Amino acid sequence: MTDTATLPDSPTITPPLAAQIVDTLVHRIGKDADAALPHDWLAATILTVRNDIIERWMESTKAAHAAGAKRVYYLSLEFLIGRLLRDALSNLGVMEEVRTALDGLGVDIGELEEIEPDAALGNGGLGRLAACFMESLASLDLPAYGYGIRYVNGMFRQRIDKGWQVELPETWLRYGNPWEFERRESAYFIGFGGDVDTLADGRAHWDPAEAVEAVAVDTPVVGWRGKRVNTLRLWTARAFDPIRLDAFNAGDHELALAGQVRAETLVRVLYPADSTPAGQELRLRQEYFFSSASIQDIVRRHVQYFGDIRTLPDKAAIQLNDTHPAVSVAELMRLLVDHHDLPFDEAWEITRATFGYTNHTLLPEALESWPLSLFERLLPRHMQLVYAINARLLKEARAADTSEEAIRAISLIDEGGAWGSERRVRMANLAFAGAHSVNGVAALHTDLMKSTVFADLHRLYPDRINNKTNGITPRRWLQQCNPGLTALVTEAIGPAFLDDAERLADLVPFADDASFRERFAAVKRSNKRMLATYLQESMRLKLDPDALFDVQIKRIHEYKRQLLNILETVALYDQIRSHPERDWVPRVKIFAGKAASSYHNAKLIIKLANDVARRVNGDPAIGDLLKVAFVPNYNVSLAEKIIPAANLSEQISTAGMEASGTGNMKFALNGALTIGTLDGANIEIKDRVGDENIVIFGMTAEEVAQRREGYDPRAVIDNSPELRQAVEAIASGVFSPDDPDRYKGLIAGLYDHDWFMVAADFDAYDAAQRGVDARWRNEGDWNAAAIRNVARVGWFSSDRTISEYARQIWGVM
Ligand SMILES: *Cc1c(COP(=O)(O)O)cnc(C)c1O
């Protein structure tokens, strides 16, 4: 950093950085040090370190341009970024310098970190993956752009009111966002609706009925050691005419501003996953808005740099993060055919060679499809192209002697059922057809893609599906969130693991070193004490840092089976009350997570966790043996506080339903043992940490599939005394005396169908938990297993994942 100013009257010992921050405060924020509020100091600090980032950013861009490098474009409707200050300072290696400078100004950097808004532009794992990938792309020095939407309110903020989830708007932009740069000159026309004419030369001409302008807002993404700075380009919307003066002057002020309001509505909120059809049309508009802007921007850059649109696949790799940006396939075809005059077949070759598609779910209700009537009304030209692509696809299928049933499964159009259900456009099939690579996110998930949802497409294109097991960035999820453990590991094995997470393997022998184990335990205990202090202050809950911290934090969804955990908690509570004389292991059960606002059962599960917490925490007969905490407003920043303090990581989804999971990786990297099913990446974690260092229970995906036939949950519940007791207590209102019937419906669902096999896995889970108790009593053994987890999960670094994408899909390494 350069010395730009000195403090008036400042003692000569003032470090230059402090002077720069004060200079920024005065000249950019317009306040002096006496008047500055914490937010002003935060903005001044960010703007000061930003100068250094901008220089590296420009160098990165110039170097890629000069080298004619191929660029990676990661298209995602979600980026769950979290806070950026600590990430940027740590990756630039200036954390201590900035801390000292602020100290000298009487400002606590920890306080500034805590007031930085958490950019929650995503629902959960899929959005966090996109953020980890952006960081790894920069760390691996790969030229890349992330493309998404700059939601004004993002994911809702969750408050817990009398145990119920209440959704509030997240106002993360309230104090402005010093990280971003609005590029008013990078604006694109985005049309909707209207008609398609055929011109005299046979070409199609789309005449949209309405339009908005997409404007780029850029955020720099700093890689590890500041090697490279890439761009996260988020689109905001603007009306072409900010105001209709004719309407305004005629007194109709609402109509005068309607265009601007419509544009702003487009980028207002992130639709929660699993929501109902309400707002469907707006969601499709969002998808097209951001896809079109991104594809136009990519094509514009390519033509500007390289001149010839036909070389696009040599210079651009576009990755679709799930099907949300899948309309991009039709959009690129439109630009190639209608604007660049390429023949359809050639355009199709280019398109397929450019796109890759990542699938994130096999749950049928989450596979995206759009009513054909809506798609056609909003995107008439794209509808024509989808039909043309489909005709090609089905011709290839017929040529390969595909059965009529398989043809129906492969088609981009779901023709609707015998009950008059409407025709729909299948986005997963469109993404599959339009990409040269289709990947799953963990080995099991990829196998299931081949055998279930994409079986027929896989038979037709057997080389297309491949696996890229997810990863997490070890910078945020170890170095930054767990400085204590990072320092201890560095002391033991040196700093090489900071640049290559797989070097953590050097730690394996330390698992057998009693004195190292003690120091490891001390770090964990210190993290637990910090979390206990935070929870005491934020929710007035007193926790014993010596208890086993048992954590399940993730979106609330029935397949993730928070209910299984709560039932086991109730069973344990009952056991402790019945046998207080036994040698119980003190436990703290920590839950956090948001439920989609329209997801009734998920919201009821949140209420149940809170009802159980109130009863258990207030029971003097239990004392400190069991405590239950539901921590409100799960987000990246909260995860960063809780994960380093966890002893036990709950990864208990119904086998076959969690595509990968990434929370599981974060916990293992921070020295928690996993209790989990053989699902998603849990399987690969087990393969790496070893069977003795993980607690696996329950049915496999195959067993779940077989068990469905003739499954009788009532018989299972009746045969398990513990489960039956817990279920009956909940159903009869023991935890909801104010409304004894509250959980009748939830429990009736368990008896009736239990789609997520909670009852079938309960006894195995309960037994596994008692096994955990036994292990916990042997402190040395527990810590050794925890250390082996840290040492053996370096492979789950998103650097490894990204280098696989780079080599095997994008061709950029
Ligand atoms: C890692 C992460 C997730 C994903 O967690 P899973 O347990 O894999 O579902 C979701 N939300 C946040 C904030 C995260 O950091």
Side-chain angles (χ1 to χ4, degrees):
M1 252 158 244
T2 50
D3 188 1
T4 55
T6 47
L7 270 174
D9 303 319
S10 64
T12 49
I13 51 160
T14 306
L17 182 59
Q20 287 178 57
I21 293 172
V22 171
D23 184 66
T24 307
L25 184 70
V26 172
H27 294 109
R28 300 288 305 280
I29 313 291
K31 291 213 184 164
D32 65 19
D34 294 333
L37 300 172
H39 274 104
D40 302 320
W41 284 114
L42 175 64
T45 305
I46 292 173
L47 291 173
T48 305
V49 297
R50 212 180 72 165
N51 288 337
D52 187 28
I53 295 173
I54 292 170
E55 279 153 33
R56 293 162 191 261
W57 200 8
M58 290 177 176
E59 274 168 37
S60 300
T61 310
K62 272 190 212 137
H65 187 189
K70 182 171 185 177
R71 288 170 179 75
V72 173
Y73 297 103
Y74 198 79
L75 269 56
S76 179
L77 213 51
E78 303 187 18
F79 286 92
L80 198 50
I81 302 163
R83 291 170 175 155
L84 281 178
L85 179 62
R86 185 162 55 172
D87 190 51
L89 296 184
S90 173
N91 275 4
L92 289 171
V94 297
M95 179 61 93
E96 288 316 308
E97 197 189 336
V98 173
R99 186 196 309 278
T100 309
L102 287 170
D103 265 351
L105 295 164
V107 177
D108 176 8
I109 192 173
E111 198 184 313
L112 297 193
E113 283 177 359
E114 274 301 301
I115 60 168
E116 185 183 8
D118 182 292
L121 312 184
N123 276 292
L126 174 151
R128 184 53 232 173
L129 184 78
C132 282
F133 278 8
M134 287 307 297
E135 200 267 2
S136 275
L137 281 159
S139 296
L140 292 172
D141 202 12
L142 296 169
Y145 287 76
Y147 279 109
I149 292 180
R150 180 181 175 277
Y151 302 102
V152 172
N153 295 111
M155 181 64 171
F156 65 82
R157 186 160 57 84
Q158 179 194 57
R159 210 177 66 194
I160 301 297
D161 196 356
K162 300 194 175 75
W164 295 100
Q165 167 174 296
V166 177
E167 297 117 40
L168 302 166
E170 182 66 85
T171 52
W172 69 294
L173 295 170
R174 184 171 30 186
Y175 295 98
N177 179 1
W179 291 113
E180 66 183 24
F181 294 81
E182 188 171 341
R183 310 292 191 192
R184 285 163 204 261
E185 74 288 0
S186 282
Y188 294 96
F189 175 98
I190 315 291
F192 296 101
D195 315 293
V196 182
D197 309 320
T198 308
L199 302 177
D201 59 3
R203 287 191 304 153
H205 174 76
W206 177 26
D207 186 15
E210 37 169 329
V212 296
E213 210 173 12
V215 181
V217 181
D218 289 348
T219 300
V221 180
V222 182
W224 173 232
R225 295 203 191 277
K227 224 186 267 171
R228 171 175 202 91
V229 179
N230 279 329
T231 303
L232 175 60
R233 173 158 283 191
L234 302 178
W235 299 103
T236 190
R238 192 161 70 184
F240 277 99
D241 298 313
I243 184 167
R244 273 185 55 186
L245 275 182
D246 57 337
F248 196 86
N249 292 336
D252 193 342
H253 301 157
E254 257 178 54
L255 177 64
L257 296 170
Q260 188 58 32
V261 170
R262 254 210 311 278
E264 282 168 15
T265 305
L266 207 48
V267 295
R268 179 57 75 169
V269 294
L270 163 70
Y271 277 100
D274 324 301
S275 68
T276 55
Q280 237 188 45
E281 175 170 339
L282 189 53
R283 167 80 179 199
L284 181 56
R285 281 174 181 260
Q286 285 185 327
E287 292 185 357
Y288 178 65
F289 165 77
F290 119 89
S291 296
S292 175
S294 308
I295 299 297
Q296 288 188 59
D297 200 36
I298 293 165
V299 166
R300 191 258 321 144
R301 185 175 300 110
H302 180 80
V303 172
Q304 185 184 326
Y305 286 3
F306 302 108
D308 183 356
I309 189 62
R310 285 168 302 184
T311 60
L312 184 69
D314 304 331
K315 298 297 179 187
I318 307 177
Q319 192 67 29
L320 305 174
N321 194 25
D322 213 323
T323 56
H324 316 142
V327 70
S328 298
V329 169
E331 176 69 357
L332 181 57
M333 284 297 288
R334 182 180 75 87
L335 296 181
L336 296 179
V337 172
D338 296 354
H339 290 205
H340 291 268
D341 299 333
L342 292 185
F344 185 93
D345 287 347
E346 190 180 2
W348 186 236
E349 288 310 311
I350 292 171
T351 297
R352 277 216 283 208
T354 305
F355 282 110
Y357 154 53
T358 304
N359 174 273
H360 284 272
T361 180
L362 302 172
L363 298 186
E365 68 272 23
L367 280 173
E368 207 181 11
S369 70
W370 293 104
L372 196 140
S373 53
L374 169 64
F375 197 97
E376 188 161 37
R377 175 163 57 78
L378 221 51
L379 303 168
R381 176 58 182 145
H382 300 78
M383 192 69 245
Q384 293 179 343
L385 289 161
V386 167
Y387 280 133
I389 295 166
N390 202 35
R392 239 199 95 114
L393 174 71
L394 298 187
K395 200 169 126 198
E396 282 182 21
R398 291 223 158 82
D401 214 10
T402 308
S403 73
E404 277 310 306
E405 196 189 337
I407 296 272
R408 273 196 296 278
I410 286 168
S411 174
L412 304 185
I413 311 293
D414 177 348
E415 295 294 342
W419 307 281
S421 59
E422 58 187 336
R423 300 170 75 204
R424 303 181 75 93
V425 183
R426 292 170 170 152
M427 302 310 273
N429 293 36
L430 176 61
F432 193 114
H436 67 282
S437 160
V438 176
N439 74 283
V441 290
L444 171 68
H445 170 233
T446 301
D447 287 345
L448 291 172
M449 280 169 71
K450 293 179 185 171
S451 61
T452 63
V453 176
F454 296 108
D456 296 301
L457 277 162
H458 175 56
R459 218 164 292 129
L460 191 56
Y461 304 108
D463 300 329
R464 200 165 294 182
I465 297 182
N466 62 91
N467 179 57
K468 298 286 169 282
T469 299
N470 280 166
I472 54 168
T473 167
R475 270 73 65 184
R476 185 176 291 261
W477 297 111
L478 177 60
Q479 291 182 41
Q480 293 159 30
C481 75
N482 201 340
L485 182 56
T486 304
L488 178 67
V489 173
T490 308
E491 204 185 303
I493 62 171
F497 74 98
L498 300 175
D499 296 285
D500 174 6
E502 295 192 50
R503 292 293 299 275
L504 281 167
D506 297 347
L507 201 63
V508 169
F510 288 85
D512 301 314
D513 173 342
S515 88
F516 183 83
R517 283 202 301 254
E518 270 170 35
R519 282 187 293 158
F520 178 87
V523 168
K524 182 62 85 178
R525 192 173 186 287
S526 155
N527 291 340
K528 289 166 77 176
R529 208 175 316 110
M530 279 190 281
L531 177 63
T533 303
Y534 174 77
L535 295 181
Q536 163 113 50
E537 283 167 6
S538 60
M539 48 191 296
R540 284 190 234 143
L541 185 66
K542 208 168 155 355
L543 301 178
D544 171 12
D546 289 321
L548 190 166
F549 280 21
D550 171 344
V551 182
Q552 186 171 24
I553 53 174
K554 48 181 78 239
R555 276 184 307 125
I556 309 294
H557 199 294
E558 287 166 286
Y559 87 78
K560 290 176 181 281
R561 298 202 294 192
Q562 282 91 358
L563 186 55
L564 177 59
N565 191 348
I566 296 170
L567 284 167
E568 198 273 329
T569 305
V570 169
L572 177 61
Y573 173 58
D574 185 60
Q575 291 281 310
I576 297 176
R577 276 172 57 102
S578 309
H579 306 283
E581 74 290 351
R582 285 190 194 156
D583 176 26
W584 295 103
V585 167
R587 272 206 201 221
V588 177
K589 287 265 187 186
I590 297 173
F591 295 90
K594 293 172 181 172
S597 44
S598 58
Y599 190 169
H600 178 260
N601 273 0
K603 290 179 133 176
L604 205 51
I605 287 168
I606 291 176
K607 174 63 174 160
L608 177 59
N610 280 283
D611 276 349
V612 170
R614 199 184 36 171
R615 169 82 194 239
V616 170
N617 298 348
D619 189 337
I622 297 296
D624 267 353
L625 290 181
L626 182 61
K627 287 274 180 261
V628 181
F630 188 96
V631 190
N633 201 35
Y634 181 50
N635 60 15
V636 172
S637 305
L638 188 60
E640 288 168 359
K641 291 189 177 71
I642 294 178
I643 290 170
N647 297 118
L648 189 65
S649 157
E650 298 269 357
Q651 308 300 338
I652 59 178
S653 52
T654 315
M657 292 194 167
E658 185 75 89
S660 166
T662 48
N664 46 7
M665 303 166 188
K666 299 169 195 165
F667 281 100
L669 186 61
N670 283 274
L673 267 59
T674 302
I675 182 167
T677 46
L678 287 173
D679 199 16
N682 294 353
I683 297 171
E684 289 155 82
I685 291 175
K686 167 184 153 303
D687 291 345
R688 290 193 154 74
V689 304
D691 293 1
E692 325 74 50
N693 302 303
I694 188 167
V695 181
I696 295 292
F697 72 93
M699 290 182 287
T700 62
E702 221 178 326
E703 286 164 352
V704 167
Q706 285 164 3
R707 184 81 186 264
R708 289 211 183 280
E709 188 96 8
Y711 177 48
D712 180 3
R714 181 173 297 273
V716 177
I717 297 169
D718 287 343
N719 274 320
S720 166
E722 273 79 27
L723 176 57
R724 197 171 136 192
Q725 173 101 6
V727 161
E728 285 175 356
I730 293 168
S732 66
V734 168
F735 299 95
S736 53
D738 55 320
D739 179 7
D741 290 344
R742 181 174 295 141
Y743 301 112
K744 283 240 152 58
L746 191 68
I747 299 299
L750 275 188
Y751 278 108
D752 179 58
H753 49 83
D754 186 20
W755 179 251
F756 301 95
M757 301 261 163
V758 169
D761 271 343
F762 181 86
D763 282 351
Y765 179 57
D766 189 52
Q769 287 286 22
R770 301 292 70 80
V772 167
D773 286 344
R775 271 195 99 143
W776 178 257
R777 290 196 188 91
N778 185 340
E779 218 180 309
D781 169 76
W782 182 281
N783 289 325
I787 293 164
R788 288 188 197 107
N789 269 265
V790 178
R792 291 174 177 165
V793 296
W795 186 80
F796 295 96
S797 163
S798 44
D799 294 350
R800 185 271 313 158
T801 314
I802 285 296
S803 26
E804 289 179 5
Y805 276 88
R807 283 178 232 276
Q808 297 162 20
I809 300 177
W810 304 328
V812 293
M813 249 178 127

